Amino acid sequence: MTSTSTRTKPLIALACLAASAALWWPLEAQAVRLKEIAAVQGVRTNQLTGYGLVVGLDGTGDQTTQTPFTTQSVQAMLQQMGINLPAGTAMQLKNVAAVLVTASLPAFAQPGQAIDINVSSMGNAKSLRGGTLIATPLKGADGQIYAMAQGNVVVGGAGASAGGSKVQVNHLSAGRIPEGATVERSVPTPWLQGSTIQYDLRADDFNTAREVANAINRAKGAGTAEAISGRTVAVNLPMQPGQRVAFMADLENLNIDRATPAAKVVINARTGSVVLNQAVTVGPCAVAHGNLSVTISSTPIISQPNPLSQGQTVVTEKSNIQINQEPGALIQMPAGTRLTDVVKALNTLGANPQDLLAILQAMKVAGALNAELEVI
């Protein structure tokens, strides 16, 4: 006999707090450093990609009949080395794998510096363990070569197979080469190209942009910074290039009084996670919530034929389906002005995270949830 039950269990909703003091006192501005809420425009990492070959594998490379691009890549590499294969030659490679190489080029990276790279198999190679990446150019979005990659691939896994059995720990078709690429070209930045730079805030907020400009002007003098929009702040740099590093070091450690963010509830529909920030409040409303359970049981029934009837034994199943709906009490939720009030009111419903998703959405439609509802 088998049974399946979908009875829900009450769970306690979790809320993330930006500051514990906000639970008991009115919402106040939070002081953070400038480098935690803003970044200099143009000073960023750049993504590099390249196509290469990993050689020296112990019979775990691509199967060339299913990945013809691996054979073509090997032929092109041999031609560059002055080796021409006869026409129609079918190479059976077992120790070579075609891979994609990715890397992040840091800001201000200069030629000769080493950066880490990631190597990922493109074909059906079983493992890259023990392989060596041959020289691979890494290009940026503009098609220019910015680094050259080469080295031994480090794979954080292991595996073995025999007699139809297979054991594998972690991932074997991707690896990493620490300091496996050498920078060949630097990326131009606006650092020395003009007399001003622009700070880009990570969140769009006019009050925060104003506070950033005011903090810079208090530290470096009036007229040094100006808020352009809710996300950008323009800053005048010193004329001497040698003074700019110390100037920016002082700015990024300035304390900024960031305003309380807009009330928001973030719901992850895949995992059932619900996160509320400290500005969320609930208006007075009434909510009814009841549990619904469905139980299905199957009982095998065996039918035996009469003696000498030349019949066959027949096995059938008798299914019993029961639906139980528990009554949901109508709970009145008073207006909550603090996050603790909201959490307590939601906990009284005894709903699991999946039910909480539907309750919050219904409260938003009814106008009782004073927050933006975002589903990710």
Side-chain angles (χ1 to χ4, degrees):
M1 181 176 66
T2 61
S3 64
T4 302
S5 176
T6 59
R7 182 177 298 275
T8 59
K9 298 180 180 179
L11 298 176
I12 299 178
L14 299 179
C16 292
L17 308 180
S20 59
L23 292 176
W24 310 106
W25 289 281
L27 302 178
E28 298 178 354
Q30 306 169 6
V32 295
R33 292 181 299 178
L34 178 58
K35 62 182 178 181
E36 296 171 351
I37 62 173
V40 179
Q41 186 181 64
V43 180
R44 61 179 183 85
T45 59
N46 292 272
Q47 305 303 319
L48 305 179
T49 57
Y51 171 82
L53 294 173
V54 172
V55 299
L57 302 176
D58 188 13
T60 59
D62 293 337
Q63 298 179 5
T64 54
T65 55
Q66 299 177 0
T67 56
F69 51 86
T70 304
T71 304
Q72 296 175 3
S73 302
V74 172
Q75 291 177 351
M77 180 189 66
L78 294 178
Q79 290 178 0
Q80 293 179 358
M81 297 180 177
I83 302 175
N84 295 321
L85 298 177
T89 302
M91 292 187 296
Q92 298 297 327
L93 306 175
K94 295 182 179 181
N95 301 332
V96 182
V99 295
L100 274 180
V101 183
T102 59
S104 296
L105 184 65
F108 306 116
Q110 299 299 315
Q113 294 182 352
I115 58 177
D116 299 342
I117 60 174
N118 297 314
V119 181
S120 305
S121 174
M122 287 184 59
N124 51 10
K126 297 179 181 179
S127 174
L128 298 181
R129 190 177 183 87
T132 300
L133 176 70
I134 60 176
T136 302
L138 301 181
K139 299 180 180 181
D142 56 357
Q144 301 295 324
I145 297 176
Y146 286 91
M148 290 294 297
Q150 183 171 289
N152 297 324
V153 182
V154 179
V155 178
S161 61
S165 300
K166 180 180 179 181
V167 176
Q168 179 175 322
V169 179
N170 295 335
H171 205 55
L172 301 178
S173 58
R176 188 175 178 86
I177 304 179
E179 298 185 352
T182 303
V183 178
E184 301 293 338
R185 177 185 300 180
S186 61
V187 178
T189 62
W191 182 246
L192 298 176
Q193 297 178 359
S195 59
T196 62
I197 56 101
Q198 180 174 297
Y199 269 109
D200 294 336
L201 303 182
R202 305 188 190 279
D204 187 5
D205 189 272
F206 287 99
N207 186 78
T208 303
R210 182 187 61 181
E211 292 298 329
V212 169
N214 291 340
I216 295 176
N217 289 332
R218 286 194 299 266
K220 297 300 181 180
T224 303
E226 181 183 4
I228 305 300
S229 66
R231 189 178 288 269
T232 58
V233 177
V235 180
N236 295 321
L237 294 175
M239 297 304 298
Q240 297 297 329
Q243 299 177 356
R244 295 187 176 184
V245 174
F247 179 83
M248 295 301 296
D250 294 338
L251 293 189
E252 68 180 6
N253 288 306
L254 290 177
N255 289 328
I256 308 299
D257 293 332
R258 186 174 59 176
T260 303
K264 178 178 289 189
V265 177
V266 180
I267 298 174
N268 192 324
R270 295 183 296 273
T271 62
S273 303
V274 180
V275 179
L276 303 83
N277 67 5
Q278 61 178 354
V280 175
T281 59
V282 174
C285 62
V287 179
H289 173 71
N291 290 331
L292 175 67
S293 63
V294 179
T295 303
I296 304 176
S297 59
S298 299
T299 304
I301 299 177
I302 302 176
S303 176
Q304 293 283 359
N306 294 326
L308 304 178
S309 64
Q310 297 182 355
Q312 296 181 353
T313 301
V314 178
V315 179
T316 60
E317 289 188 359
K318 179 181 179 181
S319 299
N320 183 21
I321 301 177
Q322 296 180 353
I323 299 178
N324 182 24
Q325 184 174 7
E326 298 180 0
L330 186 63
I331 302 176
Q332 182 178 0
M333 300 177 63
T337 58
R338 298 180 303 181
L339 182 58
T340 49
D341 298 333
V342 178
V343 174
K344 290 179 181 179
L346 294 177
N347 285 338
T348 57
L349 297 176
N352 65 11
Q354 294 297 333
D355 293 333
L356 194 58
L357 305 183
I359 294 174
L360 290 174
Q361 293 179 19
M363 292 174 63
K364 178 65 176 179
V365 175
L369 182 63
N370 303 322
E372 178 186 355
L373 197 61
E374 180 178 352
V375 180
I376 62 175

